[in-house]
Amino acid sequence: LVQELTGKELSGKAWIDALTTNVEDLVTSEKKEYEEMFQKCAEEKQDDDDDLDDVLQMTVRFVDGDEVIADSKDSGLYGACRKFETFVAGRVAAAKKTTED
């Protein structure tokens, strides 16, 4: 079946190749791909919340325990994501400060 679909016999070569990949090369490659996608997303219009919310027809809430960090009903999906991003950045900064003290 595998040979019919891929033209190759089933083997563990791809898995072994993945396990033997140089970690630094993999991190460099993944970081490059991440930065390219981040740049692409940053260049796209971020003010089309209404269109996206209409298409998705859903509500997203970012919650930490009992605290509602952001709700897309209040600020649209992108707005909620930005609020959550700010929340996470604050948590990371606080944790970093605590470990430095």
Side-chain angles (χ1 to χ4, degrees):
L1 177 66
V2 172
Q3 187 171 8
E4 289 176 23
L5 294 172
T6 66
K8 299 177 185 175
E9 289 288 328
L10 178 62
S11 76
K13 183 177 178 343
W15 187 49
I16 292 169
D17 289 346
L19 291 173
T20 58
T21 300
N22 179 295
V23 174
E24 290 185 17
D25 291 344
L26 181 61
V27 169
T28 300
S29 169
E30 292 294 320
K31 185 175 181 179
K32 180 182 179 213
E33 184 178 330
Y34 170 82
E35 288 173 352
E36 288 171 354
M37 184 57 68
F38 185 84
Q39 184 64 36
K40 179 182 174 188
C41 291
E43 292 170 358
E44 292 179 0
K45 285 179 67 174
Q46 297 289 316
D47 60 354
D48 56 351
D49 273 357
D50 294 335
D51 294 340
L52 181 62
D53 292 337
D54 290 341
V55 170
L56 295 176
Q57 296 180 0
M58 66 181 203
T59 299
V60 176
R61 288 184 193 93
F62 295 98
V63 179
D64 181 30
D66 291 335
E67 177 187 1
V68 176
I69 300 159
D71 188 329
S72 64
K73 280 205 274 187
D74 300 331
S75 57
L77 181 58
Y78 287 128
C81 289
R82 285 189 290 272
K83 285 182 183 179
F84 181 67
E85 181 179 22
T86 301
F87 173 83
V88 171
R91 281 281 179 96
V92 169
K96 188 175 182 181
K97 184 177 179 189
T98 300
T99 60
E100 290 175 353
D101 291 341

